[in-house]
């Protein structure tokens, strides 16, 4: 997969809560197909089973794959272990998204080891999901292929903030010579366009497009 396929484009995150009836590989794959039919150039998909289903239906679309793993005695849950990255790669992802914060990982594995194995042994690209500029710099220095703002607002150091932070995005684009992917908190087409105008490589939108459960819940709560 060429990185240029995703440049200046919309990537849609097709995920559903584990307790939702939408949390089904075939349903996620059809949601992904609907998004691609409307012009999405890439997809972000969680878990090997869902990635396999999407890959079967869409053999040529670039997929950012991850595997959310809870309950591993660690705050890291986005593809936290090497074995999770391997499963995501084998399922058919082109880019593997991993938590790239400096938090302790399960099994004593290090961020450097996981990035190196993904790139050298699995021959896949790495998207480093970060929360702060400091962690973005560390990820850059470890040679990741993309840096995403995914975890801004979702870690101990940033949970007092609400994404997206366009000032942070602008700073990352200006100071870090690695493609920056805006992900997290984009609610409108105008915000997505603003992220690209700030110099992001591409923009990932999830809940605002595919978060049916949460969107319905918000409407019900407001009435």
């Amino acid at each position: 997969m060429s990185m240029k396929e995703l440049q200046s484009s919309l990537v849609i995150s097709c995920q559903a809560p584990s307790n939702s009836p939408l949390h089904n590989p075939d349903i996620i794959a059809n949601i992904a197909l609907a998004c691609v039919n409307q012009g999405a150039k890439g997809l972000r998909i969680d878990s090997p089973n869902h990635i396999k289903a999407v890959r079967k239906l869409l053999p040529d679309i670039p997929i950012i794959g991850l595997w959310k793993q809870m309950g591993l005695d660690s705050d890291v849950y986005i593809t936290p272990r090497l074995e999770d990255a391997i499963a995501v790669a084998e399922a058919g992802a082109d880019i593997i998204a991993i938590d790239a914060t400096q938090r302790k990982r399960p099994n004593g594995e290090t961020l450097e080891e996981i990035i190196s194995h993904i790139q050298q042994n699995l021959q896949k690209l790495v998207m480093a999901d970060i929360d702060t500029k400091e962690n973005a710099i560390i990820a850059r220095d470890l040679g990741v292929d993309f840096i995403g703002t995914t975890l801004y607002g979702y870690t101990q150091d940033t949970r007092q903030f609400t994404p997206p932070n366009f000032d942070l995005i602008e700073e990352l684009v200006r100071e870090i010579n690695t493609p920056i992917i805006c992900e997290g908190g984009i609610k409108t087409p105008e915000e997505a366009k603003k992220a690209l105008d700030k110099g992001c490589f591409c923009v990932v939108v999830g809940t605002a497009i595919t978060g049916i459960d949460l969107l319905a819940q918000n409407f019900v709560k407001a009435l």
Side-chain angles (χ1 to χ4, degrees):
M1 188 204 80
S2 167
M3 293 203 301
K4 289 186 177 179
E5 293 179 51
L6 295 179
Q7 192 161 9
S8 302
S9 73
L10 173 66
V11 175
I12 298 182
S13 181
C14 301
Q15 302 181 37
S18 58
N19 61 352
S20 168
L22 301 178
H23 190 79
N24 173 287
D26 292 333
I27 293 174
I28 292 293
N30 277 287
I31 292 172
L33 177 59
C35 293
V36 172
N37 283 348
Q38 298 306 317
K41 299 299 183 185
L43 302 163
R44 183 165 159 125
I45 308 294
D46 171 33
S47 84
N49 286 342
H50 290 187
I51 294 167
K52 286 177 186 176
V54 172
R55 178 55 74 216
K56 183 177 179 180
L57 198 59
L58 294 159
D60 300 319
I61 196 75
I63 294 176
I64 301 170
L66 64 143
W67 197 358
K68 291 180 180 175
Q69 297 277 40
M70 308 295 189
L72 295 176
D73 194 30
S74 171
D75 290 332
V76 174
Y77 62 90
I78 296 177
T79 324
R81 302 169 298 183
L82 178 56
E83 64 189 84
D84 305 320
I86 292 170
V88 168
E90 291 176 346
D94 303 287
I95 302 168
I96 300 178
I98 62 172
D99 179 309
T101 66
Q102 291 299 295
R103 297 178 294 183
K104 182 182 176 183
R105 310 183 79 88
N107 303 337
E109 295 176 342
T110 68
L111 182 60
E112 184 175 7
E113 289 169 346
I114 292 176
I115 291 170
S116 176
H117 191 93
I118 291 172
Q119 293 175 326
Q120 296 179 23
N121 297 68
L122 302 179
Q123 296 290 297
K124 301 288 185 179
L125 302 177
V126 175
M127 176 177 174
D129 288 348
I130 58 90
D131 56 343
T132 64
K133 178 183 173 182
E134 291 72 26
N135 284 329
I137 290 170
I138 292 170
R140 176 202 64 192
D141 292 345
L142 290 174
V144 300
D145 301 283
F146 305 94
I147 292 173
T149 56
T150 318
L151 289 169
Y152 176 84
Y154 297 96
T155 63
Q156 186 66 42
D157 292 335
T158 64
R159 63 176 41 134
Q160 69 269 34
F161 305 121
T162 301
N165 181 338
F166 289 108
D167 291 335
L168 173 64
I169 288 168
E170 201 166 8
E171 197 172 357
L172 295 178
V173 169
R174 184 175 63 248
E175 298 183 24
I176 295 179
N177 191 27
T178 299
I180 303 299
I181 296 177
C182 175
E183 177 175 6
I186 296 292
K187 303 172 193 66
T188 66
E190 292 74 22
E191 285 184 341
K193 178 66 163 55
K194 184 175 180 179
L196 293 183
D197 290 343
K198 293 285 185 182
C200 283
F201 181 80
C202 65
V203 58
V204 177
V205 180
T207 300
I209 296 175
T210 60
I212 295 174
D213 301 271
L214 186 58
L215 291 171
Q217 183 184 97
N218 289 342
F219 272 89
V220 169
K221 283 182 177 178
L223 299 180

